Amino acid sequence: MLYDLIIIGGGTAGLTAAVYAQRGGLKTMLLEGNVPGGQIVSSPELENYPALPKVSGVAFTQRLLEQATELGLDLKYEAAAELNLAGPVKEVGTAGGNKYQARTLIWTAGLNSRLLGCPGEDNFLGRGISFCAACDGMLYKNKEVAVVGGGNTALEEALFLSKICLRVHLLHRREAFRAEAALQQRVQQTPNIVLRTPVQVLAFEGGKRLERVILQTAGGQEELSVSAAFLAVGKVPSNQLLANQLLPEELDEAGYVTAGEDCLTSLPGVFVAGDCRRKPLRQLVTAAADGAVAASQAIAYLH
Ligand code: NAP
């Protein structure tokens, strides 16, 4: 079957694009290689999406998914593995060996969690090192845990874990946090969050599971005994597959696609939306806006 539109990635941008495309009359398929929702599913509570305060990331995703599928979206749980986007028919091969075709394509592959790259990290991924407090926090009920990072994600994770765990050590490489002031204030007011700044994580150690983090502090090296470490040190764009389809100048030095607010790429009929696009603000609301813009561009291109 030749679709009007294939969307790659089922985060907020991709699902919003699906809603707009279906309502615009496009026969649309969405490929998602993991769980729908993207990064937001690990957010226990959204506080800044307009008119929807205090909704969980999972609940938000569920409603958006229902909205898109009720409009007739063809959702497939497959990862894109191969692209051929140069011609008027865009071809996508999946990891499972399927091939799909469409007249337009929206790339919304989002971001992956950044790693610290220090010794022991690979050993304890999934065995004490986690990227998602909402998913794994309960495993560490009444235990001591660490959160690494100083952005919004790190502070939100620390606040979430503080309600479950005995103590949360927030480890950040600088004195100043880049998280928004309201979050910083709440963290400072939470008695069982211990701020450790500036510290650098040198290594993760343990047996079968993580048992301690080795830190470089101003006073020297230190061992911090924890049952888990939640890494929140930023994200890297998942644009590797798209990169060889675009011109070299369409990716910046960090790997983000340099498409503007119109979400256009140099390839006719190919659009990019969401966090994998270079932009000044990566939030749920800007991801949703990108999805709407990219779908509108696809509709205009086909008409
Ligand atoms: P981020 O804002 O990029 O913060 C990453 C943090 O990790 C920074 O504090 C950074 O330290 C630290 N870091 C990076 N590399 C490191 C390394 N190698 N070793 C040690 N520390 C390292 O990432 P984020 O918190 O995941 O947020 C990503 C985007 O999503 C942001 O735009 C954020 O505003 C948005 N977001 C918004 C919300 C919300 O509005 N509620 C929630 C979550 C995320 P430095 O500060 O020293 O660079």
Side-chain angles (χ1 to χ4, degrees), residues 48 116 150-153 156 172-174 178 233-234 282-283:
N48 56 5
L116 288 170
N152 280 337
T153 305
E156 284 186 351
H172 181 37
R173 65 184 176 184
R174 291 189 297 132
R178 67 173 65 213
V233 291
R282 289 193 176 82
Q283 297 273 291

Side-chain angles (χ1 to χ4, degrees), residues 145-170:
V145 300
V147 172
V148 187
N152 280 337
T153 305
L155 271 66
E156 284 186 351
E157 298 280 85
L159 285 165
F160 180 83
L161 291 164
S162 71
K163 295 182 191 127
I164 303 168
C165 303
L166 179 66
R167 197 168 292 117
V168 180
H169 300 267
L170 181 55

Side-chain angles (χ1 to χ4, degrees), residues 204-241:
F204 295 100
E205 291 183 356
K208 285 189 174 162
R209 299 191 59 83
L210 179 71
E211 289 168 11
R212 61 197 162 270
V213 181
I214 310 301
L215 299 176
Q216 181 68 56
T217 72
Q221 284 194 17
E222 191 184 306
E223 282 188 19
L224 177 68
S225 293
V226 287
S227 302
F230 291 82
L231 305 189
V233 291
K235 312 280 180 197
V236 287
S238 316
N239 289 331
Q240 296 84 342
L241 192 61

Side-chain angles (χ1 to χ4, degrees), residues 52-129:
L52 279 183
K54 302 202 181 299
V55 60
S56 75
V58 169
F60 177 89
T61 299
Q62 192 57 37
R63 292 189 66 179
L64 184 51
L65 191 60
E66 280 166 17
Q67 192 179 4
T69 49
E70 279 168 12
L71 286 163
L73 174 69
D74 188 356
L75 172 64
K76 296 198 190 299
Y77 291 101
E78 292 183 73
E82 203 182 328
L83 299 176
N84 185 353
L85 306 181
V89 173
K90 316 301 173 193
E91 293 177 342
V92 182
T94 67
N98 289 317
K99 296 247 186 249
Y100 299 105
Q101 294 185 324
R103 294 192 290 151
T104 60
L105 182 136
I106 299 177
W107 178 265
T108 65
L111 308 174
N112 284 325
S113 298
R114 178 180 287 128
L115 294 166
L116 288 170
C118 61
E121 189 173 39
D122 285 348
N123 290 349
F124 297 109
L125 285 175
R127 294 193 297 130
I129 295 182

